[in-house]
Every structure is written in C-alpha cells, then in structure tokens.
Amino acid sequence: MDITEFRKRGKEMVDYVADYLETIEQRQVYPDVEPGYLRSLIPEEAPDEPEAYEDVIQDIERVIMPGVTHWHSPFFFAYFPTASSFPAMLADMLCGAIGCIGFSWAASPACTELETVMLDWLGKMLRLPKDFLAGTEGQGGGVIQGTASEATLVALLAARSRIVKQIQAHDPQRSEVEIISKLVAYSSDQAHSSVERAGLIGGVRMKKMSTDGKFAVCGETFRKTLEEDKASGLIPFYFCATLGTTPSCAFDRITELGPICEYHWQIPLGRRFRSLKLWFVFRMYGLRGLQAYIRKHVGLAKEFERLVRNDERFEICADVVLGLVCFRLKGSNELNELLLRRINGARRVHLVPCQLAGAFVLRFAVCSRTTESRHAQEAWRHISELASELLRGQKR
C-alpha cells in the first residue's frame, strides 16, 4: 500500500466506521457464536503472498462482526463505560501514524511532556491537591497506564519499594526478604480481583476489609485492623481504596481513610503516544462538555432506577451512584439467575451480574455515548416483559 492508496483506503475506513456507529443499535448487541467459532473461518496459516485490501475488508463482516460484543451499542448495559468518542478515534489515528516508543524524554519529547501536562489537566479537573500535580516543580504527576490492573500493581510495587527502603534506612541489618514477609496490604472486600492479583504478583499478603451497609470501607474498621496487625508484628504499607466498586459503584470513605494512611511510574519501558487522545478530547469537549456527558449518564441511571422502584416485583440493592443501577427480582438467587439468562439469551440488551451480601444482583450500567432515554425505557420494558413471563411460568 503506497501513500496514494492509503489516502483512498483511509477515507473508506472512516466511512465504514461512521456507518458502523451510526447503525450500531440495529446490530444484535451480543454475538450468537460458540467458543472457537472463528478458527474455521480463516486459513490455518498466514498467506505467502499479499491479499487484496478489498478481501480483507469483506472479511470484517464475514469473520469479525459475527463475534463482536458491541460495547458502544445504546443497548449495551454490561460491565462499565469505555468512553469512546470521535475526537479520541481521530487522535488514535495520529498516534498510530507517529508511532513513537516513548521510553525516555529523548525518544520523543512531545510524548513525554504532553502526557505529563494532560494528567495535570485531569488532576485539576478532579480538584486533586497540588501534591498530585507535576506543574513546573516536578513534585507530583503521573502517567497513563495500560489498564487499571496495571496501575494497581504499579502503585503496590512502588509502596513496597518505599517501605523497604525506609525500614532499611533505620535498620540496615534487616533483609528485604524478612521485611517483605511481614508486609500486609489492604483492600475492600468489594474491590476488583485485580487488587488481589497485584498482591500475589507483588509477593505480599492482602487483607480484604469488611464493608458497611453501603458496601464501603469506613475509617474505624480500618483503624482497628491496623492496630491489631501492628500488635502482631506485621507491617501495614498499602491500602487500595476504591472510588466506585465494580459490583455496585460504592465509594470507600476516603475522607476517613486518608488521614489514617497519612500517603517508578510504570512497568513497561516504552509507551504509545496515548496522551494525544486526552489532548483531543479535553480540548474538543471542554470541562463543561465532559461534565454534561457524565451528568447525562447519571440522569439515565436515575431514570432507570425510578422505573425499577415503580414495579413492586423488583428491588434496588445499592445506592445508585453515577451511571450504575443494581437491582433484582424479589425472590431467590436462582430466580434472578434465570431472569438474567433470559435477558441475555434474547440478545436485545446485555447485562452482567454481581454478588452483594450474598444476593445475586443484576447490574444496569449506562455505557454508550449514544444511549438516550428511549433506550433505557425500551430496555426496562423488555426486562419487565421477560420477568412477567418468568413469574407466570413459576406459578404453573
């Protein structure tokens, strides 16, 4: 492919992507395929000779799309939002074209510096204390991690390294192995599994803190556990507070936990020019545009909550925070498991469950940029109809 064909194909791909997103709600949100479906659709080995671009594009609909879960469909209410936008897509194109590997400032100064400035922008949007910002003095700051799991692990490893150095500075005779054997980290019992995995990879014990009636860790519970562990000779060094748990979007009581806690940048050496996406999005949405986007999702979740509360057969299982509604049919876990199977089996909307205080709970997460009130209402009608069919069948 030369530059002339690239111009032509690039325009065609933009049209394909635009058409895909414009008509995405007409596609079945969850694929109807079995594991291993794709292997039989493509050759066992890569081709020896180049293939035509037209053939590759045709295979998108034949091979790829039948197995795609459409995360940006307005009927996708599973997991969590992935926040795609047109400015971010355009920035991704430019990022791929520049193709730098930003493993040091000299490797690509703009890559390093824009990322630092963009995270300062983000920190200021969130009104973080100045200690979290890089500014011109370089005392704080951050980098974009590849995943939340990676960010959790980086923070744990940094904390482990820091505490080992602090202890050895006061007691040089103590070995690193001895110190690490006494370290203990903490997280909520509602925290994502990646937090526990970080502890396993970091070689430290991880204690799960019990939560209150709103599924949040409170300061007094944490303080008591710390005192007990210190009395037992353990060395507390890390607490992973969660602001929006995966099951119910609960917020640990950070204002209580912070004072108790008092308070290397990434694992890979190289990184992509990911800050371009932030630069494009921040500038083309603006702070008010981003606030409006979030408030729209919160409003849709509140609308869905009202629909659930108006049906006496259902119950809300946790405070509705941001864009997530946790709900279930009043009844057994088995009844709700069956309802979820029918919902996802129909493939008109897509939900995933969670466990809250031993109860099997359905999660309705507003995810797509294009979700509107009509989509939430249509989803509820569909869920309500399936619930009616299920309950009628239970009475027979």
Side-chain angles (χ1 to χ4, degrees):
M1 181 179 289
D2 58 21
I3 193 70
T4 301
E5 186 178 6
F6 174 74
R7 289 181 188 276
K8 178 176 183 293
R9 300 308 187 186
K11 293 172 183 176
E12 291 173 359
M13 180 57 74
V14 169
D15 285 340
Y16 178 86
V17 170
D19 290 343
Y20 165 71
L21 293 172
E22 191 173 38
T23 61
I24 192 170
E25 71 177 87
Q26 298 171 19
R27 293 179 182 263
Q28 183 173 282
V29 63
Y30 191 73
D32 188 12
V33 295
E34 297 295 328
Y37 89 96
L38 188 144
R39 185 171 290 276
S40 65
L41 300 178
I42 60 178
E44 288 292 326
E45 298 177 354
D48 290 330
E49 301 295 332
E51 295 185 7
Y53 179 80
E54 289 83 358
D55 294 337
V56 177
I57 290 299
Q58 287 177 4
D59 278 350
I60 293 176
E61 291 294 337
R62 184 182 71 87
V63 178
I64 304 302
M65 286 301 178
V68 168
T69 299
H70 299 285
W71 278 59
H72 299 289
S73 166
F75 294 114
F76 181 90
F77 301 106
Y79 308 111
F80 41 77
T82 53
S84 176
S85 69
F86 294 125
M89 294 178 212
L90 294 174
D92 253 342
M93 290 175 63
L94 181 57
C95 176
I98 293 174
C100 64
I101 307 297
F103 54 77
S104 68
W105 181 88
S108 188
C111 179
T112 299
E113 296 197 12
L114 185 63
E115 189 162 326
T116 302
V117 175
M118 287 303 99
L119 288 176
D120 272 5
W121 280 17
L122 179 59
K124 291 174 183 176
M125 288 179 182
L126 298 174
R127 297 184 181 178
L128 294 179
K130 290 183 178 179
D131 289 346
F132 284 85
L133 308 179
T136 57
E137 299 177 2
Q139 296 300 309
V143 295
I144 303 169
Q145 304 294 340
T147 65
S149 301
E150 185 181 321
T152 303
L153 176 59
V154 168
L156 183 139
L157 294 177
R160 188 189 73 175
S161 175
R162 180 183 182 186
I163 193 68
V164 169
K165 289 178 180 178
Q166 286 177 344
I167 292 173
Q168 287 183 328
H170 289 90
D171 187 358
Q173 301 304 314
R174 297 187 71 173
S175 69
E176 182 174 340
V177 172
E178 179 194 354
I179 296 169
I180 290 177
S181 70
K182 297 288 187 180
L183 295 182
V184 57
Y186 306 88
S187 73
S188 162
D189 61 14
Q190 299 292 304
H192 191 267
S193 60
S194 63
V195 179
E196 185 176 11
R197 191 180 311 123
L200 292 172
I201 296 172
V204 298
R205 72 189 75 191
M206 177 75 71
K207 282 195 171 183
K208 293 185 177 182
M209 303 297 303
S210 60
T211 52
D212 61 18
K214 294 184 181 296
F215 307 105
V217 177
C218 63
E220 189 55 39
T221 301
F222 183 44
R223 188 189 304 276
K224 183 179 178 181
T225 302
L226 279 184
E227 291 172 353
E228 292 172 351
D229 287 345
K230 287 178 180 178
S232 300
L234 297 177
I235 306 173
F237 79 105
Y238 176 86
F239 179 76
C240 183
T242 303
L243 303 181
T245 60
T246 300
S248 65
C249 203
F251 279 57
D252 290 336
R253 303 190 184 281
I254 195 73
T255 54
E256 299 175 12
L257 297 167
I260 298 172
C261 296
E262 310 226 311
Y263 271 10
H264 266 110
W265 296 73
Q266 61 177 17
I267 293 173
L269 186 60
R271 64 185 185 276
R272 298 175 65 236
F273 205 163
R274 294 175 292 202
S275 56
L276 279 173
K277 295 181 72 172
L278 291 178
W279 196 45
F280 272 55
V281 171
F282 288 168
R283 295 184 67 185
M284 298 184 73
Y285 271 81
L287 177 57
R288 291 182 181 176
L290 293 171
Q291 290 172 334
Y293 179 89
I294 294 169
R295 287 169 180 153
K296 174 187 172 184
H297 277 202
V298 174
L300 289 171
K302 289 294 185 181
E303 179 179 356
F304 189 84
E305 178 191 12
R306 288 192 293 271
L307 293 169
V308 175
R309 290 191 183 279
N310 288 337
D311 190 324
E312 62 183 13
R313 301 172 301 173
F314 287 85
E315 60 185 345
I316 296 293
C317 305
D319 289 349
V320 175
V321 180
L322 297 179
L324 176 65
V325 183
C326 294
F327 70 105
R328 72 195 300 270
L329 272 172
K330 296 174 181 176
S332 66
N333 284 349
E334 292 74 19
L335 180 66
N336 283 277
E337 289 174 14
L338 184 55
L339 175 60
L340 183 64
R341 282 200 295 272
R342 293 197 178 188
I343 292 170
N344 287 339
R347 292 181 167 79
R348 286 176 58 187
V349 300
H350 189 47
L351 307 180
V352 293
C354 70
Q355 290 278 341
L356 292 177
F360 185 90
V361 174
L362 282 62
R363 296 171 72 259
F364 180 93
V366 182
C367 294
S368 172
R369 176 181 53 82
T370 58
T371 301
E372 302 289 348
S373 174
R374 65 181 179 88
H375 299 113
Q377 293 182 21
E378 185 174 335
W380 173 246
R381 283 195 297 270
H382 179 57
I383 293 168
S384 180
E385 289 169 2
L386 290 176
S388 297
E389 294 174 5
L390 176 60
L391 293 173
R392 282 197 298 268
Q394 296 281 311
K395 293 178 181 179
R396 292 174 185 169

